[in-house]
Amino acid sequence: MRARTATTLAVLTALTLTVPALTVSPALAAPASAPSWTADLTAPAGFVGMSPTCVLDTRTDNTPFHNGFTPLGPREYYPAVVGVVPHEATAVVVNVTATNPTSAGYLSVRGESTPQTGTPDTSSLTFTPGQTVSNLVTVALSQDNVRHTVNIFNSAGTTDVILDVVGYYAPGAADKFTPLHPNRIADSRTDGTGPLGSSATRSIRVARPELGDQDAHAVVLNVTATDGTADSFLTVYPTGTTRPSEASNVTVPVRRDVANRVVVPVGADGKIDIYNHIGSVNVIVDIVGYYSPSGTGLFQALKTPVRLDDTRTTGYKMTGPTTMGLGIEVDPKGLGAELNITATNADAAGHLTVFPGTADWNVPGTSTLSYVPGLTVANSVTTGLDDNSTTFSMDSFGGAVDVITALTGYYTTG
């Protein structure tokens, strides 16, 4: 994402608890019974991490197959070229950002083999007018196309879209996934480091003996920004490398918690750097997994994401722990899952935590997604599965909230 100018930042709206509730969009409508999805998977593949690379920014002329300097229109499908990944890639990991939206709506980022007609059954991120919001999305790729693309659907109004590629999956790639029980490895509110200031960078050790990830080539994090004093953004990148000037990972609003999943290569010293653009902000970092030559998890992406659960259909909001399943027995043994979780209709502020195991034990002191009344918030999630290879757990802390959970892929033992 290009560095924001003062003019761009001026249009961002500070988020408060009084923002009107979003109208439920077609993408968030309850689906019919979930279809069988076992035949809708890409081939098992290892991971290749990249420094964030911007492949689309509709605010500039970097928009192949779309008029430059023109936002996406209502109900528009846009095929974004992701030419920085090789032809053999089975899935791409992208950080998608919506900015300058003119109405409430959502983006759905879908694989290139999905139809570019109708309304998608799932959404990737939601937004309100004037808001800038990001989410990390894993998208299946087809082997039929010479030049890979991902399809971006905009539900309503107009919005600019920025797409940063942070990695991809390919058969034969050396790095495989290892899930971790979520672990908080940095919290500037309590660890003595204090808020991250304007144009400041802070290094955090992510490869640690106590985590068993000393050989990690890339890590999977949940990064939360809180107490921001200005509309800003965070960029996460490996130490010892040049900070990507046209990429961001977490959009920082004033005085509201916001989280985003981050997949980032690890520097040679076992650390990552986090950069804050303007103002000051507290940063919380939770690690949930890593990729390394010693890992065993190969990823299979769903060509069409599948809705697993929607509490709005039951009439009971989430108020505490629950255990959820993938709906099938994964063979070979499942290690983890990739999800997109949306929180809406919150009665009061709170947060969700997703973790492996059953909901009645070993709940980690970490967070996955923060929510407030009046906003619909989405975040992608990487989680391990429990020993029977099909289930994970979720817990809510704070106000009762509706939760929509979609499956985008899973990891099997390779």
Side-chain angles (χ1 to χ4, degrees):
M1 181 174 173
R2 297 189 184 276
R4 294 176 174 81
T5 64
T7 300
T8 303
L9 289 170
V11 304
L12 303 182
T13 303
L15 302 174
T16 70
L17 300 185
T18 60
V19 177
L22 295 182
T23 301
V24 174
S25 61
L28 296 180
S33 57
S36 173
W37 48 264
T38 53
D40 192 35
L41 294 164
T42 60
F47 181 73
V48 179
M50 299 169 51
S51 182
T53 303
C54 184
V55 295
L56 172 68
D57 187 341
T58 60
R59 302 169 303 174
T60 74
D61 60 357
N62 183 17
T63 54
F65 307 112
H66 186 82
N67 293 330
F69 305 96
T70 305
L72 267 63
R75 301 192 62 78
E76 179 181 354
Y77 274 95
Y78 172 56
V81 176
V82 288
V84 296
V85 303
H87 175 69
E88 63 269 19
T90 59
V92 63
V93 185
V94 295
N95 200 70
V96 58
T97 301
T99 189
N100 306 322
T102 59
S103 70
Y106 62 87
L107 296 180
S108 181
V109 185
R110 301 161 60 80
E112 58 192 341
S113 62
T114 55
Q116 295 186 52
T117 58
T119 300
D121 292 330
T122 57
S123 60
S124 301
L125 60 81
T126 61
F127 47 78
T128 56
Q131 184 184 17
T132 295
V133 61
S134 300
N135 197 12
L136 195 72
V137 182
T138 301
V139 187
L141 298 175
S142 170
Q143 304 311 119
D144 298 331
N145 297 337
V146 175
R147 180 171 52 186
H148 285 310
T149 61
V150 297
N151 293 322
I152 306 172
F153 174 81
N154 174 43
S155 69
T158 65
T159 183
D160 282 308
V161 178
I162 303 101
L163 209 65
D164 300 319
V165 177
V166 301
Y168 61 91
Y169 294 92
D175 289 337
K176 300 178 182 179
F177 179 68
T178 300
L180 294 173
H181 201 73
N183 196 300
R184 182 147 296 174
I185 58 174
D187 186 341
S188 64
R189 303 170 303 174
T190 60
D191 60 17
T193 58
L196 191 59
S198 179
S199 300
T201 300
R202 182 169 297 162
S203 296
I204 297 174
R205 180 171 295 281
V206 293
R208 304 183 178 193
E210 67 269 25
L211 297 175
D213 65 342
Q214 299 95 314
D215 66 339
H217 288 174
V219 289
V220 186
L221 311 171
N222 201 71
V223 178
T224 301
T226 186
D227 306 321
T229 63
D231 290 313
S232 183
F233 62 88
L234 303 177
T235 301
V236 186
Y237 58 102
T239 57
T241 65
T242 301
R243 175 175 60 86
S245 61
E246 296 186 353
S248 68
N249 297 97
V250 182
T251 301
V252 180
V254 175
R255 297 183 299 275
R256 186 174 73 85
D257 296 351
V258 64
N260 200 14
R261 184 168 61 107
V262 174
V263 178
V264 58
V266 179
D269 58 357
K271 298 179 180 180
I272 59 167
D273 284 343
I274 300 181
Y275 164 84
N276 175 47
H277 185 51
I278 63 173
S280 66
V281 62
N282 277 308
V283 179
I284 305 163
V285 181
D286 300 325
I287 187 169
V288 299
Y290 64 96
Y291 299 95
S292 72
S294 64
T296 59
L298 294 175
F299 183 67
Q300 294 186 264
L302 275 164
K303 297 174 184 177
T304 303
V306 171
R307 185 79 54 81
L308 293 181
D309 189 58
D310 185 344
T311 63
R312 297 169 306 166
T313 65
T314 65
Y316 296 97
K317 292 183 178 181
M318 190 170 180
T319 58
T322 185
T323 297
M324 303 178 66
L326 302 186
I328 66 163
E329 182 69 29
V330 178
D331 184 31
K333 178 177 168 57
L335 288 179
E338 294 283 342
L339 312 164
N340 199 75
I341 292 181
T342 302
T344 191
N345 303 327
D347 292 344
H351 70 270
L352 300 176
T353 296
V354 180
F355 56 99
T358 57
D360 56 354
W361 71 282
N362 207 16
V363 178
T366 57
S367 64
T368 302
L369 178 153
S370 298
Y371 56 82
V372 295
L375 284 179
T376 297
V377 183
N379 195 18
S380 60
V381 178
T382 302
T383 181
L385 299 172
D386 72 355
D387 289 341
N388 70 16
S389 79
T390 63
T391 60
F392 61 94
S393 295
M394 188 184 310
D395 207 348
S396 62
F397 301 84
V401 63
D402 278 319
V403 180
I404 304 102
T405 305
L407 178 72
T408 58
Y410 68 92
Y411 297 90
T412 59
T413 303

